[in-house]
Amino acid sequence: SVVPESRPAVSSRTKSSKLVEDHLAVQSLIRAYQIRGHHVAQLDPLGILDADLDSFVPSDLITTIDKLAFYDLRESDLDKEFQLPTTTFIGGSENTLSLREIIRRLESTYCQHIGLEFMFINDVEQCQWIRQKFETPGVMQFSSEEKRTLLARLVRSMRFEDFLARKWSSEKRFGLEGCEVMIPALKTIIDKSSEMGIQNVILGMPHRGRLNVLANVIRKDLEQIFCQFDPKLEAADEGSGDVKYHLGMYHERINRVTNRNITLSLVANPSHLEAVDPVVQGKTKAEQFYRGDAQGKKVMSILVHGDAAFAGQGVVYETFHLSDLPSYTTNGTVHVVVNNQIGFTTDPRMARSSPYPTDVARVVNAPIFHVNADDPEAVIYVCSVAAEWRNTFNKDVVVDLVCYRRRGHNEMDEPMFTQPLMYKQIHRQVPVLKKYADKLIAEGTVTLQEFEEEIAKYDRICEEAYGRSKDKKILHIKHWLDSPWPGFFNVDGEPKSMTCPATGIPEDVLTHIGNVASSVPLEDFKIHTGLSRILRGRADMTKNRTVDWALAEYMAFGSLLKEGIHVRLSGQDVERGTFSHRHHVLHDQEVDRRTCIPMNHLWPDQAPYTVCNSSLSEYGVLGFELGYAMASPNALVLWEAQFGDFHNTAQCIIDQFISTGQAKWVRHNGIVLLLPHGMEGMGPEHSSARPERFLQMSNDDSDAYPAFTEDFEVSQLYDCNWIVVNCSTPASYFHVLRRQILLPFRKPLIIFTPKSLLRHPEAKSSFDQMVSGTSFQRVIPEDGAAARTPEQVRRLIFCTGKVYYDLVKERSSQGLEEQVAITRLEQISPFPFDLVKCEADKYPGAELVWCQEEHKNMGYYEYISPRFVTILHRMRP
C-alpha cells in the first residue's frame, strides 16, 4: 500500500506535468533521506549488528537502482538536472543537480558514519539549522592542525587505559577500551562551549571511563589517581572504599584551545546508573542561579550515559521532563551515550523495546546524532555541532557513540560466556588509534616517527606520575570534592566553630513578617474570597502574638531571607500546599497567570525566595533539589512530598546520596525533606512517612553512653549522618528550620510534618517561644500539674508529634493531670540522651512508657528502645 499506484502512460500526459511530477518525486526522495537515512547508516564499528534494532531497509531510499521505480523515475533520469527545494543544502552554491549527484550527496550525508534523527522536531528553523550543518558540501573538512590535536587526544585516551592495564592487571577499573574516542568527544564539546562563552561545565557519568575522564578531560593529577590503586591505601579523612570510579572532582583551569578560564566539575555518583542525572541538573541550575545566568550562557551540564541504562532507567525520562520547566530548566544539556551495544551480559534485543537506546529523548524534541565511534573525525564533527546546538537553541541534544566494549563488564569478567560471536569480532578489531594513525600517516599529516614520539611522551608522563604516587600513601578525599564551599569550613575542611547561636529573632521582625504574610503587596490584585479569610486569620494571629504551622514556616523562611539566605521550596503542589494551608503564591482571580509571592516583598535587599510546583516526579525532583543544595551552603533547599509515603519512589536518592553522602564522598548537604505523616483516617496510602526507615539508617551510636558536654548537642549533630525530627509545635518547626542554616556545618534534615495539626486549635505557639534568646528544644518536658509534684506521678509517657494532643485530651477527660506526665521528643535522631535522662530521673517512681500510633515494628520504637536501655543502665523497665 506504500507504493504509489502506477500513473497513466507518459503519452497521455503532457511533458510539463511529467516535469512537475518528477520534481515532486525528487523532493520526496530528499525528504525520505532526511527522515529515514539513519536506518541504513553504517553505525556499528564491528559491522555485525545494526545499532538500530529495527533493521528493515526503508523502501523509499535508493539503495539499488531498481528502487527508482518507487518514485516513477528511471535509470535514464539519473543524468537529468533537477531544481533543488529550499529544504535542502546539498547543492551548496548550486540550485540544480543531476539526480545521480543528488542521490550521491544524500547518501554521503545520511547513510555513512553519521545517522541523524531530527525530522520529528516541529520547529522549521531548527531543522534547517541541522540540515545546513550536515548537508552543505565540504563541511567536514579538518585542518592538519585539528587532525594532529585529535590524534594526540586519542593517544592520551588509549595509552592511559593501556598504562592502567599494565600496572594493575587484576584490578577493576571499568576501562574505556572500545570507546576511546569519548575523550576527544568530551574535550570537543567543552572547547566549543568555551568558545561560545561557557565558563562552567558540570559533568555526570557512570563508572565506565571515569578515571580516563578525570585524567584527560578534567586533568586531575595522575599521581592522585594512581595512588588510589595502592592496596595499602588508608583513607586519611572520612570516606570509604570502592571509590576509585565513583568520586567527584572540581578543577579550574585554562582551556588550551580557547585560552579562556573554564571550571569543570564531575559529580560523585553511586553505582545506581543514571541516579546522578537529576543531581547534575540541580547543581547546574543552582550555579546558574547564583551567577544570575538565567539563559544558561555561562554554565552548562554534560551527561554521559550507557546505552542499556539510558533506555532502562526511568529517572532518565523524569530528568528529561524537567528540561523545559521554568524553575528546573538548565537551558539545554548535551547527552553523550556510550553505546557498547550490550549491558553487562544482556543483548540490546533483551534490554529495550525501542529501535535505539536514545528514543526516550524524542519526547522533548531533542535532535539525536548517532555516530560510528571508529570514525574519530565524524565523532568530533558531531560533538562540535551538538555543543553549538545547545548554546544556540538552549535545548537538549543527544550524541550516540556507537562503539563496543573491548573487555567484559569489568576487567575480571569473561564476556565470551554470553556473547561469543560479538567478542570473536572484538578480538579481531583493530583499535581506533591505530586505524586513525595509519590514515593520517598515509595522507601525510603526521609521520610515523611523530606518532611514536607522541606515544612515548605520554607514557613517560604516566611513568613519572606513577613514581610520584608511591610517596602519596595518604589519600585526602577533600581533593575529590565536586563542589567545594570556599570560606565555609576552615583550611582543614573542619567547621569553624562547634556552637550554634540561639535561633530566635526580634519581635519586630516577627510582626513585620506576619503583616506581609497577611497582605497582598500588589495593587489591584483580586484574590479568592476564601483566601481573604485565611489572610485575615493571619493578621489576627500576628496581632495576638501567636502563630500556627503555616505562619511559623513563613516566619522561618522570611527571617532567613532577611539574612541573605536564599530559600527554595520545591515539590508537588507546594505553592498552595497539599492541605491548602501555605498559599505562598497568590493568584489573581481575574487575570490569567498573574501571580504574587508576598515572601519576595519583605525587605528591599532580601535574598530571593523560590517556591515551585514540580512535575509529578519524586526520584527526579528530589535528585534535582539535592544537587541544588550541593552548590552552596548558604541556601535552605526543601523538598516536600505530597504525602510522606510518596518518598518511596525517591528511595534511591535517599539511600545513595542523602543518608550516606558524607560517609561515601565527604559531601556535606543541608537538604530538608518535609514528609507529611500521621494516622488521620486517610487510609494506608497517605498515613505513614515510614519513620522507621529513616531511623534504621541513622548512625548515632546507641551503645556508647555519651559524655554530656556543654556543646553536646552540636557535636552530636556533627557526628550523625542526618537529623530526624517530628515537631509538635509551630515554634519547634520555626526553630529547627533556622537551626539548619545557623549550624556551622550541613546535615540533611528529615521533618515529619503534620496534617491535622495544621489547623488544630491547640497547636499554636506564642511569639514568646520564638523571640531572641529562644532556640530549638530537642525535648519538650511536661510543664503542667504533674511537673509540680513529680513524686506523685505514676506514669511518664514519652511520645513524639501529633499523638501528644490525643494523649493530652484523653488525660484531661480521665482527670489524670497529676498522675501522668507526658514528655515530647521533638528530635528523635540524634537521640537526645542528655535531656531524656533528666526527664526519667525527675520522675523516679513513675512507670516509663513509649506511645506511638504506628505498629510496634514501625514508627520509632525499635530505634528508641535500646537508647532508653542505655540511659537507664537497664535499671528501670
Side-chain angles (χ1 to χ4, degrees):
S1 64
V2 176
V3 181
E5 290 176 29
S6 59
R7 294 179 282 196
V10 179
S11 57
S12 67
R13 286 184 291 165
T14 63
K15 273 219 170 89
S16 63
S17 73
K18 158 82 172 141
L19 189 65
V20 169
E21 281 169 15
D22 285 355
H23 269 85
L24 289 172
V26 169
Q27 282 204 16
S28 302
L29 169 69
I30 292 171
R31 188 170 168 79
Y33 274 89
Q34 291 169 340
I35 295 174
R36 281 180 284 282
H38 59 89
H39 286 295
V40 295
Q42 297 147 30
L43 297 175
D44 178 19
L46 301 175
I48 48 177
L49 276 174
D50 291 287
D52 166 10
L53 297 184
D54 208 349
S55 56
F56 77 104
V57 176
S59 52
D60 53 356
L61 300 184
I62 312 295
T63 46
T64 52
I65 286 295
D66 58 335
K67 290 280 202 74
L68 284 168
F70 181 90
Y71 294 101
D72 241 4
L73 293 164
R74 297 179 185 72
E75 210 170 329
S76 58
D77 294 325
L78 283 173
D79 295 314
K80 278 194 194 148
E81 292 276 320
F82 287 92
Q83 186 83 31
L84 294 170
T86 54
T87 52
T88 185
F89 294 87
I90 55 172
S93 55
E94 301 166 78
N95 297 331
T96 63
L97 287 176
S98 69
L99 179 58
R100 189 185 304 280
E101 185 61 12
I102 288 173
I103 292 171
R104 192 191 68 74
R105 291 191 185 185
L106 289 170
E107 287 273 326
S108 76
T109 299
Y110 290 105
C111 308
Q112 299 306 305
H113 289 155
I114 298 174
L116 301 175
E117 284 189 279
F118 67 97
M119 290 289 283
F120 52 80
I121 295 174
N122 45 25
D123 183 309
V124 178
E125 181 202 352
Q126 292 174 6
C127 289
Q128 283 289 70
W129 189 91
I130 292 172
R131 289 193 277 252
Q132 186 167 7
K133 289 288 176 199
F134 288 97
E135 291 182 350
T136 309
V139 276
M140 271 179 55
Q141 299 299 322
F142 292 94
S143 69
S144 60
E145 195 46 48
E146 289 169 324
K147 291 178 180 179
R148 293 165 72 98
T149 300
L150 171 50
L151 183 67
R153 287 173 170 183
L154 273 176
V155 165
R156 287 176 165 247
S157 174
M158 192 103 185
R159 298 305 288 178
F160 178 82
E161 297 294 351
D162 291 351
F163 185 80
L164 293 187
R166 281 202 307 281
K167 295 290 186 195
W168 295 282
S169 56
S170 60
E171 280 266 5
K172 283 187 197 176
R173 58 186 185 278
F174 294 99
L176 197 51
E177 292 104 327
C179 193
E180 292 89 347
V181 76
M182 181 176 106
I183 298 302
L186 290 177
K187 290 180 79 82
T188 300
I189 294 169
I190 291 165
D191 291 347
K192 190 73 187 172
S193 301
S194 166
E195 193 183 297
M196 297 184 78
I198 293 290
Q199 299 159 5
N200 191 337
V201 175
I202 297 162
L203 279 134
M205 69 178 297
H207 27 293
R208 180 154 327 281
R210 190 182 191 91
L211 296 175
N212 206 325
V213 168
L214 284 167
N216 287 315
V217 177
I218 296 181
R219 306 197 86 100
K220 175 107 187 126
D221 292 342
L222 291 175
E223 60 264 35
Q224 285 269 342
I225 294 174
F226 296 155
C227 80
Q228 291 258 310
F229 282 97
D230 187 337
K232 297 188 286 297
L233 184 70
E234 287 291 322
D237 37 20
E238 303 150 78
S240 42
D242 185 35
V243 288
K244 281 192 286 285
Y245 33 80
H246 293 303
L247 277 170
M249 172 64 200
Y250 177 97
H251 187 50
E252 194 171 333
R253 62 177 173 83
I254 292 280
N255 178 302
R256 289 181 189 168
V257 176
T258 58
N259 216 17
R260 293 177 177 173
N261 249 329
I262 187 126
T263 300
L264 302 170
S265 60
L266 176 62
V267 175
N269 68 295
S271 288
H272 292 59
L273 296 169
E274 307 295 335
V276 81
D277 298 357
V279 180
V280 168
Q281 301 299 49
K283 182 175 180 330
T284 306
K285 181 70 176 174
E287 297 282 2
Q288 289 174 349
F289 179 85
Y290 297 128
R291 287 168 180 244
D293 179 20
Q295 259 57 60
K297 298 295 180 202
K298 298 185 192 134
V299 185
M300 71 174 273
S301 57
I302 300 175
L303 286 175
V304 181
H305 312 267
D307 54 327
F310 200 56
Q313 296 289 308
V315 71
V316 175
Y317 182 81
E318 291 188 31
T319 307
F320 265 116
H321 268 295
L322 296 176
S323 67
D324 249 352
L325 306 181
S327 297
Y328 302 86
T329 180
T330 57
N331 304 287
T333 298
V334 180
H335 300 266
V336 178
V337 179
V338 176
N339 186 350
N340 295 321
Q341 311 182 77
I342 184 173
F344 199 164
T345 68
T346 303
D347 183 296
R349 288 165 291 202
M350 311 300 156
R352 64 174 192 263
S353 298
S354 66
Y356 293 104
T358 52
D359 290 317
V360 60
R362 294 171 66 124
V363 297
V364 292
N365 268 328
I368 299 162
F369 304 146
H370 307 280
V371 59
N372 184 320
D374 266 14
D375 181 347
E377 290 183 9
V379 170
I380 295 314
Y381 185 72
V382 157
C383 288
S384 174
V385 173
E388 219 178 313
W389 165 275
R390 186 273 169 200
N391 292 303
T392 303
F393 295 108
N394 291 104
K395 288 174 70 76
D396 286 50
V397 53
V398 180
V399 175
D400 177 22
L401 299 176
V402 185
C403 57
Y404 57 92
R405 189 185 70 198
R406 189 164 287 276
R407 301 167 193 269
H409 171 66
N410 62 56
E411 285 70 15
M412 306 297 93
D413 197 58
E414 175 50 86
M416 293 290 281
F417 289 149
T418 51
Q419 269 74 23
L421 299 178
M422 182 186 220
Y423 274 84
K424 276 183 189 144
Q425 178 59 41
I426 287 173
H427 295 325
R428 290 195 293 269
Q429 191 80 359
V430 178
V432 64
L433 176 62
K434 176 156 175 35
K435 276 189 193 170
Y436 191 56
D438 290 350
K439 174 177 182 276
L440 294 194
I441 291 166
E443 67 182 42
T445 307
V446 293
T447 64
L448 178 60
Q449 187 189 350
E450 287 173 319
F451 173 53
E452 286 170 346
E453 278 169 8
E454 188 68 43
I455 288 181
K457 184 174 104 183
Y458 188 65
D459 286 358
R460 198 164 56 248
I461 290 171
C462 289
E463 281 297 347
E464 286 167 6
Y466 179 66
R468 289 194 300 275
S469 74
K470 294 284 187 213
D471 313 329
K472 285 197 194 266
K473 280 291 167 277
I474 292 179
L475 153 74
H476 280 286
I477 296 193
K478 61 174 164 284
H479 299 309
W480 297 84
L481 285 181
D482 46 32
S483 34
W485 291 344
F488 186 68
F489 294 115
N490 66 22
V491 188
D492 303 330
E494 292 295 312
K496 288 184 171 169
S497 79
M498 278 304 264
T499 54
C500 180
T503 45
I505 56 175
E507 177 149 352
D508 59 332
V509 178
L510 291 171
T511 310
H512 174 70
I513 298 172
N515 290 337
V516 175
S518 48
S519 67
V520 183
L522 297 186
E523 297 283 311
D524 305 324
F525 194 95
K526 181 132 173 34
I527 58 170
H528 190 277
T529 47
L531 193 51
S532 308
R533 202 168 51 248
I534 291 170
L535 296 188
R536 276 200 304 279
R538 285 183 188 167
D540 294 343
M541 278 191 287
T542 306
K543 214 177 276 136
N544 300 330
R545 301 181 68 255
T546 58
V547 295
D548 64 0
W549 200 269
L551 195 50
E553 182 181 72
Y554 225 107
M555 303 280 189
F557 289 178
S559 60
L560 290 170
L561 295 171
K562 182 178 199 290
E563 291 158 35
I565 299 295
H566 167 46
V567 178
R568 176 182 167 99
L569 170 63
S570 152
Q572 292 153 18
D573 310 291
V574 295
E575 295 178 9
R576 190 200 78 178
T578 300
F579 309 104
S580 200
H581 67 293
R582 185 174 284 129
H583 298 289
H584 281 188
V585 179
L586 312 180
H587 291 259
D588 192 315
Q589 300 294 299
E590 313 276 305
V591 186
D592 184 36
R593 291 183 22 197
R594 184 177 183 222
T595 57
C596 169
I597 302 175
M599 191 87 76
N600 276 323
H601 296 265
L602 287 165
W603 286 278
D605 52 354
Q606 65 172 71
Y609 173 53
T610 305
V611 54
C612 43
N613 288 343
S614 72
S615 67
L616 198 69
S617 145
E618 290 87 23
Y619 189 168
V621 172
L622 180 57
F624 188 97
E625 300 309 329
L626 175 101
Y628 201 99
M630 206 183 260
S632 164
N634 302 317
L636 181 67
V637 179
L638 310 97
W639 174 75
E640 183 172 74
Q642 193 154 45
F643 284 89
D645 51 309
F646 290 13
H647 77 253
N648 281 343
T649 42
Q651 197 68 45
C652 181
I653 297 293
I654 292 170
D655 291 357
Q656 300 307 318
F657 288 95
I658 300 181
S659 143
T660 53
Q662 191 170 347
K664 287 200 281 196
W665 303 310
V666 203
R667 281 291 351 202
H668 279 243
N669 196 304
I671 191 166
V672 181
L673 272 58
L674 303 176
L675 307 176
H677 170 79
M679 313 292 171
E680 265 121 347
M682 287 192 175
E685 290 294 280
H686 299 97
S687 297
S688 178
R690 298 279 175 192
E692 62 280 2
R693 287 188 194 164
F694 293 94
L695 295 169
Q696 282 159 3
M697 291 159 67
S698 294
N699 69 347
D700 70 332
D701 192 350
S702 61
D703 299 327
Y705 194 66
F708 304 138
T709 53
E710 193 181 340
D711 61 358
F712 172 67
E713 177 186 349
V714 177
S715 61
Q716 205 193 7
L717 289 168
Y718 184 61
D719 291 334
C720 74
N721 63 328
W722 60 16
I723 303 163
V724 182
V725 303
N726 186 355
C727 301
S728 63
T729 71
S732 265
Y733 180 51
F734 163 86
H735 284 298
V736 83
L737 290 175
R738 285 187 48 79
R739 183 184 75 171
Q740 184 67 358
I741 288 294
L742 292 175
L743 283 171
F745 45 81
R746 294 287 172 263
K747 297 282 170 171
L749 171 62
I750 315 299
I751 307 183
F752 301 118
T753 55
K755 292 174 291 193
S756 60
L757 296 193
L758 297 175
R759 295 182 177 79
H760 196 293
E762 301 301 312
K764 294 242 182 12
S765 296
S766 153
F767 280 12
D768 295 337
Q769 296 159 304
M770 298 159 71
V771 291
S772 305
T774 58
S775 54
F776 178 66
Q777 289 182 273
R778 290 170 294 147
V779 167
I780 300 182
E782 170 63 59
D783 61 352
R788 292 192 281 280
T789 51
E791 59 290 340
Q792 289 177 26
V793 171
R794 299 208 317 267
R795 172 178 284 178
L796 168 57
I797 301 175
F798 289 96
C799 67
T800 183
K802 152 247 174 191
V803 73
Y804 168 76
Y805 293 92
D806 302 332
L807 290 169
V808 168
K809 189 176 171 193
E810 187 61 23
R811 177 175 69 177
S812 151
S813 74
Q814 294 195 28
L816 296 171
E817 282 92 341
E818 291 182 353
Q819 290 106 339
V820 176
I822 306 173
T823 293
R824 289 171 268 176
L825 270 66
E826 300 291 286
Q827 176 178 299
I828 301 127
S829 174
F831 191 73
F833 288 99
D834 49 343
L835 302 177
V836 170
K837 179 173 166 39
C838 285
E839 282 297 286
D841 291 350
K842 184 175 176 185
Y843 303 97
E847 170 197 17
L848 304 179
V849 173
W850 175 260
C851 173
Q852 65 181 35
E853 296 183 305
E854 299 81 8
H855 299 75
K856 190 172 180 178
N857 65 345
M858 291 164 61
Y860 319 87
Y861 180 71
E862 298 283 344
Y863 174 83
I864 60 103
S865 168
R867 287 163 177 77
F868 269 97
V869 169
T870 295
I871 286 170
L872 302 165
H873 297 299
R874 302 180 183 272
M875 305 297 278
R876 289 166 76 181

